[in-house]
Amino acid sequence: MAEISRGERRAGLVNGFAAYGMWGLVPLFWPLLKPAGSLEILAHRMAWSLVFVAVALAFVRRWAWAGELLRQPRRLALVTVAAAVITVNWGVYIWAVNAGHVVEASLGYFINPLVTIAMGVLLLKERLRPVQWTAVGVGLTAVIVLTVGYGQPPWISLVLAFSFATYGLVKKKVNLGGVESLAAETAIQFLPALGYLLWLAGHGESSFVNDGAGHAALLASTGIVTALPLVCFGAAAIRVPLSTLGLLQYLAPVFQFLLGILYFHEAMPAERWAGFALVWVALALLTWDALRTAHRSARALAAAAAALPVTAAAPAPRSQV
């Protein structure tokens, strides 16, 4: 059993690296879809993601959740909100990459954990530990420094961070599996996306129609690019500890940041380096605090488990008849 457990953990790590690696390298993909504009790419992503996920669900014959969701209007409304928020996130990210803002887009996913914590305090009335408060304060300082550096608030980063944090919050309340959730969200996105694509075709502006079979195949592959990392993430989530996933999540923005500098050759003046450095300090504080808390929880559980045999061995009091 120990060998099987180690094998499962290894498979989980491989899937985790694959998921976050694909998310980190995806900026290389969106420029390949030119001359399609960002809105056309977004519409294809929404439409083809549904096709890919529907095929996957048909293969595993997992449809019972759909009927249950349709009978629960509140959950369906939350899925609609999630679909709207992730549409904004996808659209801004595609535009940012193709407009030469890969580094600023990566910043959005670096600060996303800080935004998630802040939203937990403001919306869920969660209480933070002192180290978490410090991390949020350092993150806010970083945003101020970057605002000075860019000459305006880093709106791409902020939109990506807040939209993805909102998406995560809503998904937590919906409580659907990753593939099922994507299927429900893209089902809501499908008709508007298809309508826009048909409108483009009707006006002779569809690159899917006008630019050859190879370009059309690339646009259709946006469904695979969207869904495959999510499948790998789902496989990782059930096999590795949450603390490990928390560390792996930084792979994606690290890859994006490096691509922005080394491949796309985006400018990084001193004030931007200073802002990013502050963000990384905040993330280091969060990571250290999370690992320390997880270690303490594990020790407490181990101590409780060690005490159980003693309790079980204690003689039961005799009943008096």
Side-chain angles (χ1 to χ4, degrees):
M1 292 296 292
E3 288 296 324
I4 295 174
S5 177
R6 282 197 292 270
E8 285 290 296
R9 286 198 296 271
R10 192 178 302 114
L13 283 173
V14 169
N15 277 283
F17 276 109
Y20 286 109
M22 284 185 278
W23 281 324
L25 296 176
V26 77
L28 296 173
F29 178 70
W30 303 125
L32 299 177
L33 303 181
K34 294 178 179 180
S38 298
L39 282 178
E40 183 179 2
I41 295 172
L42 174 63
H44 278 287
R45 185 179 191 181
M46 294 190 293
W48 290 107
S49 293
L50 177 62
V51 173
F52 181 85
V53 173
V55 170
L57 289 174
F59 181 76
V60 297
R61 299 181 180 179
R62 207 159 68 207
W63 294 105
W65 61 271
E68 295 176 5
L69 181 62
L70 290 173
R71 291 191 294 269
Q72 299 175 340
R74 182 177 178 275
R75 289 182 78 199
L76 191 58
L78 288 172
V79 170
T80 304
V81 172
V85 171
I86 202 61
T87 297
V88 172
N89 183 272
W90 287 355
V92 170
Y93 185 79
I94 293 168
W95 176 85
V97 170
N98 284 351
H101 300 287
V102 176
V103 169
E104 193 175 347
S106 75
L107 176 64
Y109 294 103
F110 276 126
I111 67 175
N112 175 67
L114 300 170
V115 173
T116 300
I117 288 175
M119 290 179 67
V121 173
L122 296 174
L123 301 179
L124 304 179
K125 308 303 180 184
E126 294 179 354
R127 300 184 64 180
L128 299 187
R129 295 182 291 274
V131 174
Q132 291 175 312
W133 275 117
T134 302
V136 171
V138 173
L140 181 59
T141 304
V143 171
I144 295 172
V145 170
L146 288 165
T147 298
V148 174
Y150 281 104
Q152 61 180 6
W155 70 268
I156 295 172
S157 308
L158 294 174
V159 169
L160 290 175
F162 275 92
S163 60
F164 201 72
T166 304
Y167 179 66
L169 177 65
V170 174
K171 280 176 70 73
K172 184 177 180 179
K173 292 183 176 295
V174 173
N175 194 26
L176 268 179
V179 176
E180 292 86 349
S181 180
L182 182 62
E185 292 154 18
T186 51
I188 292 169
Q189 294 170 329
F190 183 78
L191 286 180
L194 181 62
Y196 178 70
L197 293 174
L198 291 175
W199 182 86
L200 284 179
H203 285 74
E205 299 176 10
S206 170
S207 68
F208 183 84
V209 175
N210 299 334
D211 289 87
H215 180 69
L218 279 174
L219 286 171
S221 69
T222 54
I224 299 175
V225 170
T226 299
L228 188 58
L230 189 62
V231 172
C232 292
F233 174 79
I238 61 175
R239 290 176 172 87
V240 299
L242 190 60
S243 58
T244 303
L245 277 181
L247 293 174
L248 288 176
Q249 73 172 324
Y250 297 129
L251 282 177
V254 165
F255 285 167
Q256 293 165 13
F257 177 77
L258 292 175
L259 283 174
I261 294 176
L262 301 177
Y263 183 80
F264 294 102
H265 304 293
E266 295 183 16
M268 276 294 290
E271 58 271 17
R272 292 185 194 173
W273 278 112
F276 270 85
L278 286 171
V279 170
W280 294 332
V281 168
L283 293 178
L285 289 171
L286 280 185
T287 302
W288 173 76
D289 182 66
L291 292 175
R292 182 184 63 168
T293 303
H295 181 64
R296 286 179 176 176
S297 299
R299 287 177 58 187
L301 287 173
L308 283 177
V310 177
T311 304
R318 294 182 181 179
S319 60
Q320 297 182 2
V321 179

